[in-house]
Amino acid sequence: TDILGLDRELAEEQVELKDSPVILLGAGGAARAIAFLCVSKGAKEVAILNRTEEKAAVIAEDVNRHLQSKAAYAMKLSDYGKLTGGNYVVIQTTSVGLYPNCDDAVIEDEDFYKRAAVGVDIIYNPAETKFMKLMKAQGKPAYNGLKMLLYQGVSAFELWNDIKVSKENIRKVYENMQKKLG
């Protein structure tokens, strides 16, 4: 079961983790779970960028050890320019950009966003974060965390009640959530 909700959101948005390079911004609890998800889904690499590289390193080591992988590695957030390649799935897991600090992004450099294929911000308020705006300014799709939040609830409800929620009901709940957030 996808308690985190991100796996179902990514599938719905047709974001493929298998064989994709991934950048995780942040090294908190959500980043830890997402790192496990990405490596378990076959991501080519998972760069975990954090202000404190040691915190990211603990996650990378745990993921690699548990999943018998070498895909996850840590970097200091300020060293993002050392990343090579492109077409990254970038997942923003920090609280930077969260309401009321809507004008902030963890990385402001537009060159960073040029190297991305898609961006997912787990923040859902505001509905469009500065991270998402920077992605879209480079012509890249960007998604917020509202569906992740929804699917967390759906997964828990399904698990506890041993039922399957219909796609139609999920769609209705999502539309109501969007209206509430404005």
Side-chain angles (χ1 to χ4, degrees):
T1 309
D2 177 27
I3 296 299
L4 187 63
L6 185 64
D7 193 25
R8 286 170 81 167
E9 176 181 0
L10 294 175
E12 187 170 309
E13 304 299 355
Q14 298 176 346
V15 175
E16 183 62 54
L17 291 174
K18 185 168 176 47
D19 299 324
S20 295
V22 176
I23 296 172
L24 288 184
L25 300 175
R32 179 181 182 76
I34 292 168
F36 271 94
L37 172 71
C38 292
V39 172
S40 70
K41 290 290 182 175
K44 182 167 72 175
E45 65 179 276
V46 180
I48 306 167
L49 280 62
N50 196 55
R51 286 177 300 156
T52 311
E53 186 176 354
E54 295 77 20
K55 197 171 175 190
V58 169
I59 294 172
E61 290 165 12
D62 288 350
V63 167
N64 288 335
R65 183 176 56 253
H66 184 76
L67 298 176
Q68 296 163 2
S69 172
K70 294 181 181 171
Y73 60 95
M75 288 181 68
K76 192 164 178 60
L77 185 61
S78 58
D79 288 341
Y80 68 86
K82 294 179 181 177
L83 289 166
T84 58
N87 290 323
Y88 288 99
V89 174
V90 183
I91 304 173
Q92 200 294 118
T93 72
T94 75
S95 60
V96 177
L98 186 64
Y99 180 83
N101 301 315
C102 306
D103 296 329
D104 298 335
V106 72
I107 295 175
E108 302 273 346
D109 182 0
E110 67 181 40
D111 286 337
F112 172 79
Y113 297 92
K114 289 177 182 174
R115 297 176 45 205
V118 60
V120 179
D121 196 329
I122 67 169
I123 292 172
Y124 57 86
N125 187 14
E128 186 176 59
T129 62
K130 183 159 186 196
F131 168 84
M132 293 172 63
K133 290 176 185 174
L134 289 164
M135 289 293 299
K136 290 177 179 180
Q138 298 304 320
K140 310 301 170 93
Y143 306 98
N144 68 22
L146 191 60
K147 283 186 181 173
M148 184 175 129
L149 176 66
L150 168 64
Y151 286 128
Q152 286 173 8
V154 169
S155 292
F157 186 81
E158 289 174 341
L159 180 67
W160 284 101
N161 294 287
D162 196 27
I163 63 168
K164 186 81 174 141
V165 178
S166 72
K167 287 184 179 182
E168 177 63 19
N169 283 337
I170 291 171
R171 185 188 58 75
K172 287 178 186 176
V173 171
Y174 182 66
E175 288 171 359
N176 285 332
M177 290 171 76
Q178 287 180 304
K179 286 177 190 171
K180 292 281 185 192
L181 283 175

